[in-house]
Amino acid sequence: MSVFFLDNDFSNFFPDPRLSDSNGLVAVSRNLGNDRLIAAYRQGIFPWMKMKKPPHFWCWYSPDPRMVLYPERFRMSRSLKKAWVGNRFEIRTDQAFEEVMRACALAKRPGQESTWIESEMISEYGQLHQKGIAHSIEAYQEGKLVGGLYGLAIGKVFFGESMFHRKPEASKACMAKLVEIARIGGLNFIDCQVPSPFLGNLGAEEVERNEFLEQLGDACMDLSCFVDWSK
């Protein structure tokens, strides 16, 4: 497959994600852009790091299989349940969006030498946050941010982007809050992007891309998400 270059004059256009290469790479672009980001997620595509060599294009992916968490299948471990029931963390929403993104960028991850969360991405997602599309969930202890996650809410889907923790169970507690919000708000599922044992332990499961795209099409017919993020 030859890699498709995205033209800035047609920011909403993406090739069929089913035409990606074996790694899930769909296309590359010089820039991100709010309209392009929204269009990408609605088509099952997301930006994931820049090319290491010049011209350092952004790479857009649609992996197969996809990791998905259905709210009703969320599993709370004994340690997380203890932290949750004991109110170990104060959980807030949308109070420190940029701080959460920057903390995610600094988080050490196995097999990853550098972060894909660069300044351009922080700026673009920050704009989406101001528009009420991107959201963060944060865990605090004694007023200090110790964990969090962020992503986009479009239609009946939350597209999880990244999470971090500075205290055990902090990011899991944020995920538990996200699941609670998803259940109350009637979201169909939480897109977790790439399979991992961590997500699997929380109840997320691998879904073939074709099935994921079919579910996504139904869930994202409407751009607006009517979840109340203030609770």
Side-chain angles (χ1 to χ4, degrees):
M1 167 193 167
S2 58
V3 178
F4 191 92
F5 180 76
L6 300 176
D7 189 331
N8 284 347
D9 291 334
F10 301 94
S11 59
N12 291 343
F13 175 78
F14 281 89
D16 189 332
R18 298 173 185 83
L19 301 177
S20 70
D21 69 10
S22 59
N23 295 315
L25 179 62
V26 176
V28 298
S29 68
R30 287 193 180 91
N31 310 107
L32 296 174
N34 281 195
D35 290 344
R36 175 169 287 159
L37 284 166
I38 294 170
Y41 283 99
R42 295 183 76 188
Q43 296 174 66
I45 301 167
F46 58 88
W48 194 19
M49 73 187 65
K50 285 184 175 180
M51 290 180 171
K52 293 182 178 180
K53 297 180 180 180
H56 302 297
F57 289 146
W58 282 103
C59 299
W60 299 80
Y61 284 85
S62 181
D64 187 15
R66 194 72 163 235
M67 199 69 165
V68 174
L69 176 60
Y70 300 98
E72 66 276 9
R73 300 179 193 174
F74 177 67
R75 291 199 299 265
M76 190 176 287
S77 65
R78 183 177 299 177
S79 58
L80 174 56
K81 187 176 294 184
K82 185 176 180 181
W84 185 259
V85 174
N87 295 316
R88 186 181 303 172
F89 306 104
E90 179 188 355
I91 306 297
R92 307 175 191 170
T93 58
D94 286 341
Q95 299 300 299
F97 183 84
E98 183 173 327
E99 190 176 352
V100 167
M101 281 200 74
R102 292 190 181 280
C104 288
L106 294 173
K108 302 294 183 182
R109 306 182 195 279
Q112 183 178 302
E113 297 178 0
S114 60
T115 182
W116 71 95
I117 305 172
E118 300 187 9
S119 58
E120 181 184 350
M121 181 172 277
I122 292 173
S123 175
E124 292 283 355
Y125 283 72
Q127 292 172 36
L128 290 174
H129 174 61
Q130 293 299 319
K131 294 176 180 179
I133 296 173
H135 301 275
S136 62
I137 299 178
E138 310 114 26
Y140 295 84
Q141 279 187 339
E142 298 179 352
K144 295 182 179 180
L145 182 66
V146 295
L149 62 81
Y150 76 94
L152 278 66
I154 301 174
K156 294 184 177 181
V157 180
F158 185 85
F159 298 89
E161 264 298 312
S162 188
M163 59 173 56
F164 81 98
H165 70 274
R166 294 170 181 157
K167 295 289 184 179
E169 310 301 327
S171 60
K172 293 179 184 178
C174 291
M175 181 64 82
K177 180 63 176 180
L178 174 59
V179 168
E180 180 182 90
I181 291 172
R183 286 172 173 165
I184 294 172
L187 297 185
N188 290 10
F189 58 84
I190 298 165
D191 172 29
C192 301
Q193 297 184 345
V194 181
S196 75
F198 172 81
L199 294 166
N201 289 335
L202 294 176
E205 54 198 86
E206 295 183 15
V207 176
E208 291 186 359
R209 182 169 55 200
N210 285 345
E211 174 62 22
F212 172 78
L213 294 175
E214 184 174 332
Q215 294 181 30
L216 184 65
D218 293 335
C220 284
M221 291 182 66
D222 189 351
L223 173 61
S224 299
C225 179
F226 298 102
V227 172
D228 183 359
W229 292 92
S230 64
K231 296 181 179 180

